[in-house]
């Protein structure tokens, strides 16, 4: 359900009472309605579903969690195995801190 | 593609798989709600990678699958009228009604068109003032804002030839139904990340508090789902039951407020029948009375159409995670994507279709996960 | 009788019957083959190779119903030439002659017809084939889509070359000549109003030169197929079925342009099912695979050629694919056309 794809907002314009944008999906561009993301600006990444942007990607949050994921991937490629609790703590997964991320 | 490729990284995926293996010491039954998540799990063979003690069952997260059969019949009835241009998302075209489906209506000469966005239907209405344009407004909460906005903008444009056949469903009441069922085996849920992008995840706190079942909001790429599975496994192994958000790059606690506002303005909550499950109170959306001029059910007088479910299809049990598609005696024999007995075999996101497309030749093997 | 009535009409033809997938195969198997029984037809290759006094003639026909008529990278005219030339080329034939039949809707603009015919003529010259006979019919307004074109092609197959979908053997290499999905996405882009940084163009092109280069390298090529409607998936499934073998692909080797990938992600399409009009799949003896790929790289239409999989003895009749995560999934044939989805 809910095929939504992330893309980069390249330009915006206002036509009648609608704010429209052009979003780039890795080389394909499409016109997207921005009614639901008034805070999105050119250069932001947005998630698009049926021609509407439904959220602005939180790049800082994405970067933070991605760095944790990358470390998991690096551990995978041949470093010494580490204890399960250690790795869970290191990646910040699990526990009340994970709430409301 | 940014925010897609990184979440398909095989090294990260393998790292998460290893962590899941290290963490799991007991058997657990997990459910992913969303059909898109089911598809990713099947397409990447994730069920083969996780420990055999972790059983994944597939939930009713396919709005196409759960669209009641009588709604399809209503769509077919409306689309068959010569003055109508019937516009629908591609997913609904092949879903079987009692006697027909939209694809067949098209084959017989009906003007049935596929749209990527509901705004295309509004444009078609503007370009064809002498025809009635009806848009098939189905979906979960993810799609409701767009479908609502189409009606809203049609009204602003003063269109008199545009209407929607609405059949929206809401996720939390379905989860509540599953959790209340005495046959429920699910111990942890992956909540649908794009529904939560719109709605936030505050609604799941009530479920967690009441049923003490962990819920993790998950994304749609393999790394997202593996991370969500790891987070659920960690909670279960620790004996915790909390709401956690794996898909934080897109989902916030409160969700998308402008989107929720337009939904509230145009739609209201109503009881809704889920195909294969039955009626779930306050689990759907319909157009508010002030938008009656855009309500295709009223305009075309199809409200009274009723239908019964076919006896052989076990989609009810599949959609509730009680059976797997391969458990169905008709799976891949009498029920195939070309000749489906029920919607989960037709919809691209249906559990049965996913199994058929990705797993069929292994059905003779014991299915552990 | 079990309810509900099957979704795909058996008492009417639906669009799915022309999509190159399962329904098309069913129509062939249940309707056409029984009516026209003969050994040549039953080989179900893209062309018929017939023996005339020790000369082997390749004979094929194709109809072109593409909409829109004009698209980036081509039009229905050039497509009509390339499609039929390629069907001949997949049989190893040197294409020589074409017939062209037009079915035109009353009211169709003359300047558009001129454009199409010019394009067809140029494409034919460039391929070295002559349009030697033809036909024109005009139908009532509303009975056609502007223009439909049927082309029939004749070519000669050199001695010693036998290519057939039934020829794949376990251990053989599966080779693809280049980027997949370009044509289908170019068409879809016109319809859906997609834009690209650098426009995606149809890859419509004649492949007989590339085929000749490949056959000059080795005769150990079992089968050639151009993955048009139904995409790579349909062609490989057909080969697996005809040869009674399995095929195992490696997902990470599949060449897809970024723009095509982006469009597919957005619309919910899988490039494996999207049409191509200037690509070929080759089943080749594994020992010769590297040499064939090298030869293909020297041809402008084969620069991105690579091995994408292997023919297997196990899982006969199935096409499977190794995912980037190391697991395996089925690449099934679609029932009808792939539709854009929201789910």
């Amino acid at each position: 359900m809910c095929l939504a794809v992330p893309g980069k907002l390249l330009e915006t314009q206002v036509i009648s009472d609608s704010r429209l944008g052009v979003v780039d999906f890795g080389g394909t561009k499409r016109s997207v309605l921005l009614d639901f993301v008034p805070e999105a600006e050119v250069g932001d990444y947005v998630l698009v579903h049926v021609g509407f942007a439904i959220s602005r990607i939180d790049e800082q949050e994405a970067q933070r969690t991605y760095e944790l994921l990358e470390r998991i991937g690096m551990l995978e490629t041949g470093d010494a195995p580490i204890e399960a609790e250690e790795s869970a703590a290191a990646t910040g997964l699990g526990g009340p801190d994970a709430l409301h991320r | 593609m940014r925010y897609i490729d990184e979440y398909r990284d095989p090294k990260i995926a393998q790292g998460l798989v290893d962590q899941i293996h290290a963490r799991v010491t007991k058997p657990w039954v997990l459910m992913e709600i969303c059909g898109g998540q089911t598809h990713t799990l099947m397409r990447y063979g994730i069920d083969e990678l996780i420990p055999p003690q972790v059983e994944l069952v597939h939930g009713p997260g396919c709005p196409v699958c759960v669209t009641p059969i009588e709604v399809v019949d209503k769509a077919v009835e409306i689309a068959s009228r010569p003055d109508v241009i019937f516009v629908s998302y591609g997913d609904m075209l092949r879903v079987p009604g009692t006697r027909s489906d939209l694809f067949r209506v098209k084959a017989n000469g009906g003007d049935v068109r596929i749209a990527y966005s509901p705004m295309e239907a509004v444009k078609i209405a503007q370009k064809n003032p002498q025809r009635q344009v009806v848009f098939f407004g189905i979906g979960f909460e993810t799609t409701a804002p767009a479908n609502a906005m189409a009606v809203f903008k049609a009204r602003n444009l003063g269109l008199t030839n545009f209407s929607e056949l609405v059949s929206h469903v809401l996720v939390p009441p379905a989860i509540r139904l599953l959790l209340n069922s005495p046959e429920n085996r699910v111990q942890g849920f992956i909540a649908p990340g794009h529904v939560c992008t719109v709605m936030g995840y505050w609604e799941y706190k009530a479920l967690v508090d009441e049923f003490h079942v962990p819920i993790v909001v998950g994304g749609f790429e393999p790394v997202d789902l593996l991370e969500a599975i790891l987070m659920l496994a960690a909670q279960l192994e620790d004996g915790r039951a909390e709401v956690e958000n794996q898909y934080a790059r897109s989902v916030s606690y409160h969700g998308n407020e402008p989107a929720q506002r337009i939904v509230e303005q145009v739609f209201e909550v109503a009881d809704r029948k889920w195909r294969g499950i039955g009626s779930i109170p306050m689990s759907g959306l319909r157009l508010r009375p002030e938008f009656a001029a855009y309500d295709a059910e009223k305009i075309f007088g199809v409200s009274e159409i009723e239908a019964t479910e076919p006896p052989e299809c076990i989609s009810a049990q599949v959609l509730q995670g009680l059976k797997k598609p391969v458990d169905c005696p008709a799976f891949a024999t009498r029920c195939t994507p070309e000749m489906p007995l029920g919607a989960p075999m037709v919809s691209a996101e249906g559990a049965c279709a996913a199994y058929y497309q990705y797993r069929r030749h292994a059905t003779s093997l014991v299915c552990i996960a | 009788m079990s309810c509900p009535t099957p979704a795909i009409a058996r008492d009417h033809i639906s669009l799915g019957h022309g999509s190159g997938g399962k329904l098309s195969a069913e129509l062939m198997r249940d309707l056409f083959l029984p009516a026209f029984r003969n050994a040549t037809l039953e080989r179900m290759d893209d062309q018929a190779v017939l023996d005339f006094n020790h000369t082997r003639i390749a004979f094929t026909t194709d109809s072109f119903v593409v909409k829109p008529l004009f698209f980036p990278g081509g039009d229905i005219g050039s497509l009509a030439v390339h499609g039929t030339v390629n069907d001949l080329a997949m049989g190893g034939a040197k294409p020589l002659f074409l017939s062209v039949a037009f079915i035109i809707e009353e009211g169709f603009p003359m300047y558009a017809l001129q454009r199409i015919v010019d394009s067809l003529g140029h494409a034919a010259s460039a391929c070295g084939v002559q349009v030697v006979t033809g036909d024109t019919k005009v139908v009532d307004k509303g009975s056609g889509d502007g223009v439909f074109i049927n082309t029939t092609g004749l070519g000669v197959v050199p001695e010693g070359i036998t290519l057939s979908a039934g020829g794949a053997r376990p251990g053989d290499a599966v080779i693809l000549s280049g980027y997949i999905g370009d044509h289908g996405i170019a068409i879809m882009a016109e319809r859906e109003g997609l834009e690209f940084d650098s426009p995606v163009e149809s890859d419509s092109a004649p492949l007989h030169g590339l085929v000749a280069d490949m056959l000059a390298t080795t005769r150990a090529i079992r089968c050639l197929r151009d993955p048009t409607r139904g995409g790579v998936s349909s062609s490989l499934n057909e080969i697996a079925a005809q040869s009674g073998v399995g095929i195992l692909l490696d997902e990470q080797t599949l060449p897809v342009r970024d723009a095509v990938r982006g469009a597919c992600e957005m619309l919910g399409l899988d490039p494996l099912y999207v049409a191509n009009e200037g690509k070929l799949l080759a089943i080749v003896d594994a020992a010769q695979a590297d040499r064939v790929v090298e030869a293909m790289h020297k041809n402008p239409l084969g620069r991105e050629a690579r091995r994408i999989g292997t023919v297997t003895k196990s899982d006969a009749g199935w096409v499977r694919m190794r995912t980037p995560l190391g697991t395996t999934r089925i690449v099934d044939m679609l029932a009808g056309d792939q539709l854009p989805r929201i789910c």
Side-chain angles (χ1 to χ4, degrees), chain A residues 1-2 4-6 17-18 25-26 30 33 35-38 45 47-52 54-59 61-62 65-66 69-70 72-73 75-77 84 87-88 91 93-96 98-101, chain B residues 2-4 6 11-12 14-16 18-19 34-36 61 63 89 116-120 140 142-143 145-146 149 153 156 192 194 197 201 220 223 227 230-231 240 243-245 248-250 253 256 259 262 349:
Chain A
M1 142 184 79
C2 318
V5 184
D17 54 351
S18 285
F25 302 97
R30 206 174 199 274
L33 286 148
D35 300 88
F36 306 134
V37 288
Y45 277 79
L47 196 65
V48 179
H49 174 67
V50 303
F52 285 80
I54 57 171
S55 76
R56 184 181 152 277
I57 304 270
D58 184 341
E59 298 198 50
E61 175 57 50
T65 54
Y66 189 67
L69 289 170
E70 264 191 317
I72 293 177
L75 290 170
E76 154 62 16
T77 52
S87 72
T91 57
L93 293 168
L99 269 176
H100 306 309
R101 261 208 281 165
Chain B
R2 200 150 161 226
Y3 297 116
I4 290 184
E6 315 91 289
K11 286 203 287 293
I12 297 178
Q14 188 57 54
L16 287 166
D18 291 344
Q19 296 229 335
C34 176
Y89 298 119
Y116 161 73
S117 165
M119 296 310 297
E120 288 173 41
F140 274 98
T142 324
T143 320
M149 189 57 93
K153 290 199 195 251
N156 287 357
H194 290 144
T197 297
Y201 57 91
F220 292 76
V223 164
E227 196 184 1
L230 176 60
M231 289 162 78
R240 288 179 290 119
V243 184
E244 291 184 287
N245 181 11
R249 63 186 183 274
S250 180
Y253 185 69
N256 185 318
I262 193 77
E349 299 313 322

Side-chain angles (χ1 to χ4, degrees), chain B residues 203-362:
Chain B
E203 292 175 293
Y204 296 90
K205 189 133 187 0
L207 289 168
V208 162
D209 290 342
E210 191 179 330
F211 294 94
H212 302 288
V213 169
I215 298 182
V216 173
V217 180
F220 292 76
E221 300 301 336
V223 164
D224 290 318
L225 290 167
L226 284 166
E227 196 184 1
I229 291 170
L230 176 60
M231 289 162 78
L232 276 175
Q235 285 206 43
L236 288 164
E237 292 283 334
D238 291 348
R240 288 179 290 119
E242 290 151 2
V243 184
E244 291 184 287
N245 181 11
Q246 180 278 328
Y247 200 29
R249 63 186 183 274
S250 180
V251 175
S252 67
Y253 185 69
H254 292 290
N256 185 318
E257 272 153 47
Q260 291 172 31
R261 267 200 302 275
I262 193 77
V263 171
E264 276 158 41
Q265 228 179 327
V266 175
F267 294 129
E268 60 187 10
V269 179
D271 295 344
R272 182 63 76 181
K273 205 166 162 194
W274 290 49
R275 184 170 187 170
I277 295 178
S279 184
I280 305 181
M282 304 303 272
S283 67
L285 294 174
R286 66 174 172 218
L287 282 163
R288 285 187 179 275
E290 54 265 41
F291 289 94
Y294 301 91
D295 190 336
E297 279 211 37
K298 299 199 164 75
I299 293 171
F300 293 92
V302 294
S303 314
E304 300 312 310
I305 291 182
E306 294 211 339
T308 43
E309 295 295 343
E312 203 180 356
C313 176
I314 65 162
S315 56
Q317 293 165 296
V318 171
L319 290 169
Q320 294 181 70
L322 300 169
K323 285 224 159 82
K324 300 234 165 40
V326 295
D327 297 330
C328 175
F331 176 76
T333 54
R334 288 180 298 293
C335 184
T336 64
E338 300 86 76
M339 285 182 53
L341 293 178
M345 183 56 90
V346 173
S347 163
E349 299 313 322
C352 302
Y355 266 75
Y356 189 89
Q357 214 199 342
Y358 298 125
R359 267 314 127 71
R360 190 159 86 251
H361 74 315

